[in-house]
Amino acid sequence: MKKTFILLCLCLISAITFSQWTWQNPLPQGNPLNSVFFTSAATGYAVGGGGTIIKTTDGGITWGVLSVETQDQLNSIYFIDSNTGFAVGGNLIASTGTILKTADGGTTWNTYQGTLPFLLLSVHFPDASTGYATGLSGIVKTIDGGTTWVSLPGTTSTGYSVFFTDANTGYVTGSPGTILKTTNGGTSWTYLPTGVTNGLLSVYFTDSNTGYAVGGTGTIIKTTDAGATWSALTTGTTARLNSVYFTDAGTGYVAGRSASMMDPKGIILKTTNGGTTWTTFWCDTTLLLNSVHFPDTTTGYIVSSYGSILKTSNAGATWAELSSGTRRLLFSVSFPDANTGYAVGDNGTILKSTNNGSSWTGLSSGTTTGLSSAFFIGPDVGYVSGWNGTLLKTIDGGSSWITLSSGTSKLLWSVCFPDDAIGYAAGDSGTILKTINGGTTWTPLQSGTQYFLSSVFFTNTTTGFVTGNHGTILKTTNGGSTWTILQSGISNDLSSCFFSDASSGYAVGFPGIILKTTDAGTTWSTLSSGTDEYLSSVWFADINTGYVAGYNGTILKTTNGGSSWSFLSSRTSNNLYSICFSDTSTGCVVGMNGTILTTTNGGVVSLAETKLPSSLFSIFPNPVKERITIDLKTKQPEGTLISIYNITGKMMLNERFRNQNPAEVDVSELATGLYTVKIQTKDRVECIKMIKL
């Protein structure tokens, strides 16, 4: 009997990491964009967070998101010709670099399989065979068109940008004020005197002798003797300058961000006389501008950390934003039916979709107050709550909104209506309000706590639950007249609760907390989520199928009532705040930077992938007293991260192994009990139960 129990504890709780979520707002996508490159006036590419590569073939009018296997951050893109290009980046936490190559104009991308032990920030090819990439700890080189890459000796310092004027002569900029030069293809490097101490973030040469480097506090320096000497140019700004590009010997552009954190703005500088004077353009609606590129003398593009894309068709005189949709933070999403959905957020934002989330239209809420929760009891009738006691109601599908009198100035973080007339709102300082007349009047209820209350859910008009900070779970069975404090078993903050039926309920929070009850809240058990991320929202489509959303793009799925959870790839690192499904497969998630993602197949690529796969890893002995051995099946040159969590979701151990199999972890200091071992490689995440004796 004991042996059977141990085998059951070895259940796999995380599935493959490729899934199907589609960007619906902002468009073409909402991840940060770090680099842009055009191969012609019509065809261009941009890369960024979450393995993002987008392409346009009509001069930026439309963009398509290209399919790549990696989810690593991509920092730089460079094309040798119209078909052959490279994108580089990596994983900062794992200290690994990524190089992608396409030979068919971005239709397919191949990932370099060699070891790249540091994050890459910039790539440049002086010819079809010879290429260089630099990053946090050095420089790598290829002489066979990217088939193989080798680290260059003596280049262990951080390099932000690389530019070669020919196959052998090149420059790498870094910090503080560092410029390295080679004249022998990287065999040796010379430090050039620059006279500046700011980090130099971008370098560009207009010919073999004349070059520019830009960086922090408005720094632009210029050389006319192949780097032997550098002179500081007057820019008239203290902005952080991230990227420099010249269309001819005299005309150049620089993109960056203002130094003010209170009033951040994008900044574009232009010179027509080789840097002697600069004209400043401010972009009020776009923050950190990361990269500028001109395919010809009049047409240019800039991309930003907020995923926005700017274009000029008149040599920088004016710039138009090509991306569309709100970038306001969205806190809540509600779909009363399969087609009709609403999302609410910062600055009074309310969006509506009538086509299953495929497109969204902004509604006039009549307020600039932040809105935190939306609840619709039908496609036309709904309620929204928010800061300063805000409560809004619509009866015409959002065409107009009625401001309700809540009687409080407290933040109302969550609102719920179990029927047309009866509703509840909960929020700051233990506030709970109730209405019995469709929101016309609200009565404060005595919650018995002063903790922040984050979520309210009623299974019928009289029985409801509220979760909040410090592990708070409250229950009422008499419509809120009295509330009972339930024993959650934790002191962690809880952010969301949901009941799939009258007895079965879930609550989620930080770090990676998922609780479940099967007896209407009398007792709660801690489920193993396999993550320590902040989990912000939980939703169940039926008794077995549920989803959780959280920070850093986290989306989890269960098909067995929470016994195991799959990690779904959202392909974004944006924080996600709310998730909602109209059936087991059709859902929507919203979050920071206006993020709206939808899925119509439960978040996975194919139905076959909804099944939990067989484990690629194994641990032994299990149960264990002192050390566990983890069989990784194969060596992982990119690295393997092994984390161990206790039953409350707290990380107890965290170790990294590179190119090693098997891996051994000392667990002798852990207390007796049940733990989760999370094994994460470049391509897969699995979690295995472990019993410590």
Side-chain angles (χ1 to χ4, degrees), residues 130-150:
T130 310
Y132 300 83
T134 187
L136 292 188
S137 301
I139 306 169
V140 294
K141 176 183 180 179
T142 180
I143 57 173
D144 54 15
T147 301
T148 59
W149 294 79
V150 296

Side-chain angles (χ1 to χ4, degrees), residues 375-643:
F375 191 98
F376 276 73
I377 55 180
D380 296 323
V381 180
Y383 299 82
V384 172
S385 68
W387 274 256
N388 302 323
T390 298
L391 285 169
L392 306 177
K393 178 181 181 179
T394 182
I395 58 175
D396 54 13
S399 296
S400 62
W401 293 86
I402 304 165
T403 300
L404 306 176
S405 178
S406 67
T408 182
S409 61
K410 300 292 186 181
L411 165 60
L412 299 175
W413 190 254
S414 180
V415 62
C416 175
F417 272 72
D419 71 8
D420 292 351
I422 299 175
Y424 301 82
D428 196 17
S429 303
T431 300
I432 303 178
L433 307 179
K434 178 181 181 180
T435 180
I436 58 174
N437 52 17
T440 301
T441 58
W442 294 81
T443 302
L445 305 178
Q446 296 300 313
S447 67
T449 182
Q450 289 298 305
Y451 286 124
F452 181 86
L453 301 178
S454 58
S455 182
V456 56
F457 191 97
F458 271 70
T459 55
N460 56 48
T461 55
T462 57
T463 303
F465 301 82
V466 174
T467 56
N469 286 1
H470 206 68
T472 299
I473 304 179
L474 308 177
K475 179 181 180 179
T476 182
T477 56
N478 54 17
S481 297
T482 58
W483 294 85
T484 302
I485 299 177
L486 305 179
Q487 297 302 310
S488 68
I490 64 169
S491 59
N492 307 74
D493 293 347
L494 297 173
S495 54
S496 178
C497 64
F498 193 98
F499 275 71
S500 55
D501 61 23
S503 299
S504 300
Y506 302 81
V508 302
F510 177 78
I513 295 294
I514 303 180
L515 303 180
K516 179 179 181 179
T517 180
T518 56
D519 53 15
T522 302
T523 59
W524 295 81
S525 59
T526 301
L527 306 180
S528 182
S529 68
T531 182
D532 59 355
E533 294 289 352
Y534 186 106
L535 301 180
S536 50
S537 179
V538 57
W539 183 279
F540 270 71
D542 60 28
I543 192 67
N544 292 313
T545 308
Y547 298 84
V548 172
Y551 284 18
N552 289 314
T554 299
I555 302 179
L556 308 178
K557 177 180 181 178
T558 182
T559 57
N560 52 20
S563 297
S564 60
W565 294 85
S566 307
F567 286 84
L568 302 183
S569 168
S570 65
R571 302 199 69 83
T572 184
S573 60
N574 292 345
N575 293 342
L576 303 176
Y577 297 117
S578 179
I579 194 166
C580 175
F581 273 70
S582 56
D583 56 45
T584 57
S585 299
T586 308
C588 181
V589 63
V590 302
M592 66 180 294
N593 195 28
T595 297
I596 303 179
L597 305 173
T598 61
T599 182
T600 57
N601 61 358
V604 295
V605 172
S606 65
L607 292 177
E609 291 180 357
T610 63
K611 299 178 181 179
L612 293 176
S614 59
S615 175
L616 288 185
F617 312 118
S618 61
I619 65 173
F620 56 90
N622 191 12
V624 60
K625 289 185 177 181
E626 296 184 352
R627 301 181 68 86
I628 55 170
T629 298
I630 302 175
D631 184 1
L632 305 173
K633 306 302 181 184
T634 182
K635 293 182 178 181
Q636 299 288 327
E638 298 87 357
T640 301
L641 183 64
I642 297 175
S643 309

Side-chain angles (χ1 to χ4, degrees), residues 36 79 99 118 121 197 275 316 431 486 495 499 504 541 561 641 648 663 666:
V36 60
F79 270 74
I99 298 179
F118 52 86
L121 300 174
T197 57
T431 300
L486 305 179
S495 54
F499 275 71
S504 300
L641 183 64
T648 69
D666 186 351

